[in-house]
């Protein structure tokens, strides 16, 4: 039992570091959008950030080559932004021309994705990159940190980022129900 408790403080430390990093990246995005750096603070309610581990078992030898089978289906994250670390290749991102590109494993580097909420709040000025995980030949682990608002928050394009006379690019999204819908689609339920 001791083993589990021993690692808990380090996990919390990691979580708080990632939350600070997430705040910093969000502040940079806000400034880029012409907003105050703490603009989103008032929109997030009690932020419900999430830290998790994903494990992908090595695919059987009979599985077709990389790219043909997804271990995690293509999606954008229901987060403001996601910070990710990975120990093996397998993660791919989709470019605007539809081509998939592998995200290399670079020691010491973290992967950052902007998520659906930032795309929606910014009316598409900031984009969430679709990504997926292909079948892997060796066991793979990733650590994913989702920088999130509270679940009850409704995300809608900001008036000041909508061009006069044009409709908003996206409909409002309830962060609670959207998250559940994606979980169901990822799990095939
Ligand atoms: O395992 C990965 O590299 C990607 C995980 C992911 O896309 C997610 O947790 O949203
Ligand atoms: Fe993701």
């Amino acid at each position: 039992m001791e083993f589990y408790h021993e690692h808990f403080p380090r996990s919390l430390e990691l979580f708080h570091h990632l939350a600070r990093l997430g705040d910093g990246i969000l502040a940079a995005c806000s400034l880029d959008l012409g907003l105050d750096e703490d603009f989103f603070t008032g929109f997030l309610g009690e932020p419900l950030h999430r830290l998790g581990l994903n494990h992908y078992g090595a695919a059987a030898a009979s599985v077709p080559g990389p790219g043909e089978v997804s271990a995690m289906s293509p999606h954008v994250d229901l987060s403001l932004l996601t910070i990710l670390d990975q120990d093996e290749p397998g993660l791919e991102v989709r470019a605007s021309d539809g081509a998939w590109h592998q995200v290399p494993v670079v020691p010491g580097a973290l992967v950052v994705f902007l998520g659906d909420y930032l795309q929606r709040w910014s009316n598409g000025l900031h984009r969430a990159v679709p990504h997926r995980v292909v079948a892997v030949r060796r066991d793979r682990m990733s650590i994913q940190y989702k920088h999130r608002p509270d679940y009850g928050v409704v995300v809608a394009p900001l008036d000041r980022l909508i061009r006069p006379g044009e409709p908003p690019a996206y409909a409002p999204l309830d962060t609670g129900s959207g998250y559940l819908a994606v979980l169901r689609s990822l799990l095939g339920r």
Side-chain angles (χ1 to χ4, degrees):
M1 218 47 202
E2 189 125 321
F3 173 85
Y4 301 100
H5 293 302
E6 229 174 86
H7 291 79
F8 192 58
R10 289 289 284 166
S11 308
L12 288 182
E13 204 182 332
L14 174 62
F15 180 88
H16 290 306
H17 270 86
L18 287 164
R20 270 206 298 279
L21 186 54
D23 283 338
I25 298 169
L26 187 58
C29 290
S30 305
L31 291 174
D32 185 63
L33 291 167
L35 307 169
D36 290 342
E37 64 180 289
D38 59 353
F39 178 85
F40 284 104
T41 311
F43 284 77
L44 306 185
E46 288 282 324
L48 254 180
H49 308 314
R50 293 167 61 94
L51 176 61
L53 298 173
N54 295 323
H55 173 252
Y56 307 84
S62 58
V63 161
E68 292 167 55
V69 175
S70 290
M72 186 178 272
S73 312
H75 66 280
V76 292
D77 290 342
L78 287 179
S79 62
L80 286 148
L81 57 96
T82 297
I83 304 169
L84 201 101
D85 199 3
Q86 51 173 350
D87 65 355
E88 284 285 332
L91 177 63
E92 295 186 346
V93 288
R94 195 170 72 210
S96 47
D97 65 0
W100 287 97
H101 300 276
Q102 194 176 93
V103 179
V105 179
V106 179
L110 296 170
V111 178
V112 177
F113 289 124
L114 300 190
D116 174 284
Y117 302 161
L118 202 52
Q119 175 166 328
R120 204 172 290 263
W121 256 318
S122 71
N123 199 37
L125 290 172
H126 286 176
R127 290 297 169 111
V129 180
H131 52 279
R132 68 182 181 184
V133 180
V134 296
V136 287
R137 298 259 176 240
R138 284 197 299 216
D139 277 8
R140 174 176 186 275
M141 295 284 307
S142 67
I143 300 179
Q144 42 112 349
Y145 167 79
K146 301 263 162 65
H147 202 67
R148 289 184 36 85
D150 203 352
Y151 278 125
V153 171
V154 174
V155 181
L158 295 169
D159 283 344
R160 65 178 82 183
L161 300 180
I162 301 170
R163 286 184 196 215
E166 286 186 15
Y170 308 102
L173 179 81
D174 178 302
T175 55
S177 35
Y179 177 67
L180 289 177
V182 160
L183 261 190
R184 287 200 189 98
S185 81
L186 282 178
L187 299 173
R189 286 177 202 157

